[in-house]
Amino acid sequence: MNCNNPSLFFIVGRERSGTTLLQSLLNSHSHLVVPEESPFIKWLYSRYRRGSFDAQRGMAFYHDLLREPYFSTWHIDREALKAALPACQSFSDCCKAVYHQYAIEQGKAPKMMGDKNPQYSLFCKELSSTFPHAKFIWVSRNPYAQVNSMLRVNFEKKVVSSLAYRWKRYNRTIQQFAQQHPTQVLHIKHEDLVADTPAVLQRICTFLDVDYDAGMLEKRSTTVATNPQLVKEHHQHLTADITAGVNDAWHDGLSEKEVSIIHAITGDFGQTLGYNPEGKKAGVGTMLSCVFGLLYGRLYFPFLKFMDALPLGWRFAFFKRFIAPNFKFWQEAKARQQK
């Protein structure tokens, strides 16, 4: 594999839908590498997607890459990457060089490189235009279970109507992309992944055109070794049995009112993905009480677009001021980066 022609695939889906579980499984495949989450393509896209590259622009790409917050969690030979970038002639070449260097660090010569990022769920068109032959694995999860899981992490505001709307918007956006690019997208459900993991992994390997590796289940990798605080805060399930009832927990976690709100917002669309509505649909009075939550959920998407349009320096400053202080693993990542 070289920086000019690696095969790529992207794992997309709403947060808390099983994307990290799938990443840990596929990263254990002998011919696949799926790094820790770092949406550096999205981070750099607006500045570098157009125009040719020379050594000077390659170095600018390198320095801006280091400012992407999640990239600090990658264990990568930065000097080797820095040396490789001046030879790249486009944005896509530079991105592939990053993946290639990561694969070298893992001691693998993979047939495909993967990238798991929920943020890419709203970015599939841009990824496809940058990497025309890339494949996408779309992971969805029962909206009740997904919203229940979101209520128990410190990712977003704990507003059920907002979270339900975002579940719908994320998955509908990916579905629309899949309908336009049916041969590039494989849809799997979290429920199927945990119920019959080998069968789903076989489907994925066929889709990616790699041989099935039974060792994925036995040597399932996690981010425990490199990011223990990240696992402690967000991904404790990675150290548990895959089949450990994660899809049924929502029955005890959501109130009848919360179930009815999720039903009202996601029910019709959820059925197109094979998820049957639960409980009673919320009445007019209940939904009127959700106006703020729905507005908050909708405004999230223009806010993301606004943030993506900001200069990199402004985005980085916003992250340092408002995001990083809320997560201990960012502090640990920063400490490792400074060593």
Side-chain angles (χ1 to χ4, degrees):
M1 184 177 115
N2 58 65
C3 73
N4 294 318
N5 192 32
S7 298
L8 300 178
F9 69 93
F10 296 93
I11 301 173
V12 296
R14 180 77 167 120
E15 288 88 342
R16 314 303 292 179
S17 292
T19 56
T20 302
L21 171 61
L22 182 58
Q23 179 256 339
S24 72
L25 288 162
L26 295 183
N27 197 41
S28 297
H29 191 292
S30 55
H31 295 300
L32 300 175
V33 172
V34 189
E36 294 89 349
E37 187 173 321
S38 173
F40 70 89
I41 300 174
K42 189 171 183 285
W43 174 264
L44 299 169
Y45 183 79
S46 62
R47 175 173 288 188
Y48 293 101
R49 71 183 186 275
R50 295 191 181 95
S52 60
F53 273 66
D54 55 19
Q56 182 177 1
R57 200 168 191 218
M59 286 302 93
F61 174 98
Y62 171 77
H63 290 295
D64 285 335
L65 171 68
L66 298 186
R67 301 174 78 184
E68 198 287 306
Y70 283 89
F71 192 73
S72 63
T73 67
W74 282 28
H75 293 267
I76 194 170
D77 187 333
R78 296 183 177 181
E79 290 303 313
L81 174 61
K82 185 178 180 180
L85 288 172
C88 297
Q89 299 180 353
S90 67
F91 176 56
S92 61
D93 280 354
C94 286
C95 294
K96 292 171 185 177
V98 177
Y99 291 124
H100 179 54
Q101 187 59 44
Y102 185 91
I104 292 174
E105 301 294 329
Q106 303 306 303
K108 285 185 177 182
K111 293 181 179 178
M112 294 199 77
M113 285 290 305
D115 190 332
K116 186 278 296 187
N117 274 289
Q119 290 189 39
Y120 287 164
S121 302
L122 307 174
F123 196 66
C124 293
K125 290 182 180 179
E126 292 82 355
L127 290 172
S128 183
S129 66
T130 305
F131 310 102
H133 302 293
K135 294 185 176 182
F136 295 80
I137 302 173
W138 165 26
V139 187
S140 67
R141 186 180 185 184
N142 178 304
Y144 304 92
Q146 192 275 334
V147 171
N148 178 63
S149 184
M150 288 294 292
L151 291 171
R152 281 148 185 78
V153 293
N154 59 335
F155 287 170
E156 301 173 15
K157 291 288 186 181
K158 296 176 174 55
V159 181
V160 170
S161 55
S162 171
L163 295 172
Y165 177 80
R166 293 177 188 181
W167 177 93
K168 180 179 179 179
R169 180 72 173 267
Y170 266 66
N171 285 288
R172 185 166 59 185
T173 299
I174 304 171
Q175 184 194 55
Q176 291 170 346
F177 175 79
Q179 290 170 343
Q180 297 168 355
H181 305 273
T183 62
Q184 289 181 252
V185 182
L186 175 67
H187 178 206
I188 67 170
K189 295 181 179 180
H190 181 262
E191 295 76 21
D192 296 334
L193 179 62
V194 300
D196 193 351
T197 309
V200 173
L201 291 178
Q202 286 174 348
R203 284 179 57 207
I204 292 173
C205 288
T206 298
F207 174 68
L208 297 178
D209 197 25
V210 297
D211 293 332
Y212 176 70
D213 184 351
M216 285 186 284
L217 285 169
E218 299 174 5
K219 56 185 179 182
R220 175 166 60 109
S221 66
T222 71
T223 52
V224 174
T226 56
N227 295 295
Q229 188 61 45
L230 174 61
V231 173
K232 181 179 179 181
E233 289 186 57
H234 306 305
H235 299 299
Q236 297 181 41
H237 64 281
L238 288 179
T239 60
D241 180 8
I242 291 176
T243 62
V246 292
N247 288 309
D248 297 324
W250 69 266
H251 289 285
D252 297 325
L254 296 175
S255 68
E256 183 177 335
K257 179 180 178 179
E258 289 171 332
V259 171
S260 70
I261 292 171
I262 299 171
H263 179 172
I265 296 171
T266 69
D268 292 341
F269 173 73
Q271 284 186 293
T272 69
L273 302 185
Y275 297 112
N276 294 323
E278 300 278 351
K280 296 181 180 180
K281 190 173 183 178
V284 175
T286 298
M287 292 311 297
L288 285 175
S289 70
C290 296
V291 169
F292 170 78
L294 287 170
L295 179 62
Y296 180 70
R298 287 175 180 270
L299 289 176
Y300 178 71
F301 299 96
F303 170 75
L304 290 179
K305 287 187 176 181
F306 170 76
M307 289 298 297
D308 289 340
L310 289 177
L312 287 178
W314 291 18
R315 275 186 268 161
F316 186 65
F318 180 88
F319 170 82
K320 288 179 63 177
R321 175 67 177 85
F322 297 104
I323 306 298
N326 297 314
F327 300 101
K328 292 181 180 179
F329 76 87
W330 289 122
Q331 301 169 18
E332 294 189 354
K334 182 178 180 181
R336 285 196 303 271
Q337 188 177 6
Q338 293 174 343
K339 289 182 179 180

